[in-house]
């Protein structure tokens, strides 16, 4: 099986469209979505409808839950909260109901995959997984070979050897027979690793590769300005931070 794995679209239809076109060229059997369809970006409805049409798995992220009232908004920084409030007002009924059906986790035992937005440990608490220590704690919270996640908007592959040693990779790797992996697939609509291009992962039985895709950033920024979204959120798209 070849899966394209995407996350953190955040209402950015320009980035999502460019990524889906790139995925078509590379021929995936399915597209798996790891959450945060909305929040930050100017076109939440278009993104929810496109994801629903294109993805065989749809997970919920913290912005999705906050936008439809399933998670509290007080934990978000003021810019993120302003964007969530704007999104809540912009979402149409069909999209609110679709987001309510997105699940927190998804397991594919036959393929050795565990999917979640934030972390296998307490998925509904939206922890961040940055360090190898975080990874060590989380490797104990799923039994499959590979965990796919998003949330931090920073693509990274963490590899755990049977000895307990760990290593990190950025571009991609071939899976070892006895190793296990936590793979952050990065963000489609708001990358934060210093590269403003959209990011996603292509996953095959024998390994994974992270891909970057250019999209029309000024077009998204113009729509964000027209919608009155906070300026720092508009500006950060150009820097990928
Ligand atoms: Zn996100």
């Amino acid at each position: 099986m070849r899966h394209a794995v995407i996350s953190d679209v955040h209402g950015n239809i320009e980035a999502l469209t460019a990524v889906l076109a790139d995925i078509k060229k590379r021929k995936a059997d399915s597209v798996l979505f790891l959450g945060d369809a909305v929040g930050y970006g100017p076109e939440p409805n278009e993104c929810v409808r496109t994801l629903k049409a294109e993805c065989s798995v749809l997970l919920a992220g913290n912005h999705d839950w906050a936008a439809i009232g399933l998670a509290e908004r007080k934990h978000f920084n003021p810019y993120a909260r302003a964007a969530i409030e704007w999104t809540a007002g912009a979402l149409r009924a069909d999209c609110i109901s679709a987001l309510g059906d997105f699940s927190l986790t998804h397991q594919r035992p036959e393929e050795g995959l565990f999917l979640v937005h934030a972390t296998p440990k307490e998925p509904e608490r939206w922890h961040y997984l940055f360090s190898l220590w975080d990874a060590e704690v989380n490797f104990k919270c799923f039994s499959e070979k590979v965990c796919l996640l998003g949330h931090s908007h920073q693509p990274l592959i963490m590899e755990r050897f049977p000895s307990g040693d760990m290593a990190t990779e950025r571009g991609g790797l071939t899976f070892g027979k006895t190793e296990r992996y936590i793979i952050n697939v990065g963000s489609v609509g708001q990358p934060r690793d210093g590269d403003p291009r959209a990011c996603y992962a292509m996953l095959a039985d024998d390994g994974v590769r992270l891909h970057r895709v250019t999209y029309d950033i000024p077009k998204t920024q113009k729509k964000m300005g027209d919608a009155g979204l906070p300026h720092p959120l508009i500006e950060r798209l150009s820097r990928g931070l």
Side-chain angles (χ1 to χ4, degrees):
M1 288 292 275
R2 264 171 78 78
H3 299 295
V5 192
I6 65 176
S7 191
D8 296 273
V9 170
H10 285 294
N12 188 339
I13 194 72
E14 255 60 61
L16 178 58
T17 307
V19 162
L20 290 171
D22 198 71
I23 289 170
K24 283 221 165 70
K25 276 196 297 189
R26 294 181 199 279
K27 299 198 194 326
D29 296 307
S30 62
V31 185
L32 315 178
F33 173 62
L34 305 184
D36 275 0
V38 305
Y40 299 127
E43 288 174 296
N45 295 299
E46 292 74 3
C47 288
V48 171
R49 290 174 188 142
T50 303
L51 289 165
K52 222 184 140 198
E54 299 288 335
C55 302
S56 57
V57 170
L58 294 160
L59 296 190
N62 49 324
H63 288 252
D64 301 324
W65 270 25
I68 61 170
L70 289 178
E72 288 195 76
R73 296 175 189 168
K74 65 178 185 210
H75 306 297
F76 291 87
N77 71 54
Y79 298 127
R81 199 183 318 135
I84 284 166
E85 273 152 19
W86 179 89
T87 301
L91 277 173
R92 299 303 178 95
D94 63 303
C95 296
I96 294 171
S97 134
L99 286 172
D101 290 337
F102 286 16
S103 26
L104 267 182
T105 61
H106 177 81
Q107 279 151 291
R108 300 169 92 87
E110 68 292 354
E111 294 177 78
L113 301 179
F114 181 92
L115 280 62
V116 64
H117 180 67
T119 56
K121 181 180 159 68
E122 304 171 317
E124 72 291 347
R125 300 279 304 274
W126 317 111
H127 302 298
Y128 284 93
L129 198 164
F130 285 122
S131 67
L132 287 177
W133 172 249
D134 298 333
E136 179 61 27
V137 170
N138 275 281
F139 269 117
K140 297 190 177 81
C141 301
F142 67 100
S143 56
E144 291 79 2
K145 183 179 181 72
V146 176
C147 170
L148 296 155
L149 47 76
H151 193 42
S152 73
H153 300 205
Q154 296 185 14
L156 185 66
I157 302 163
M158 295 172 169
E159 180 172 30
R160 189 180 194 283
F161 301 96
S163 63
D165 288 344
M166 285 198 267
T168 57
E169 284 286 336
R170 293 198 182 268
L173 51 65
T174 302
F175 293 143
K177 280 211 162 22
T178 51
E179 286 71 18
R180 295 174 70 222
Y181 301 88
I182 293 176
I183 301 169
N184 190 313
V185 303
S187 168
V188 169
Q190 195 203 71
R192 289 180 197 158
D193 62 337
D195 183 343
R197 294 175 298 169
C199 185
Y200 75 96
M202 197 60 100
L203 181 80
D205 293 328
D206 62 344
V208 64
R209 186 142 298 278
L210 292 158
H211 294 285
R212 304 308 286 243
V213 183
T214 53
Y215 73 96
D216 194 341
I217 294 174
K219 194 170 174 185
T220 299
Q221 290 173 314
K222 164 94 173 57
K223 290 176 183 173
M224 290 173 80
D226 293 346
L229 285 158
H231 186 73
L233 299 180
I234 300 175
E235 190 262 335
R236 76 186 300 179
L237 289 183
S238 320
R239 294 183 293 129
L241 286 173

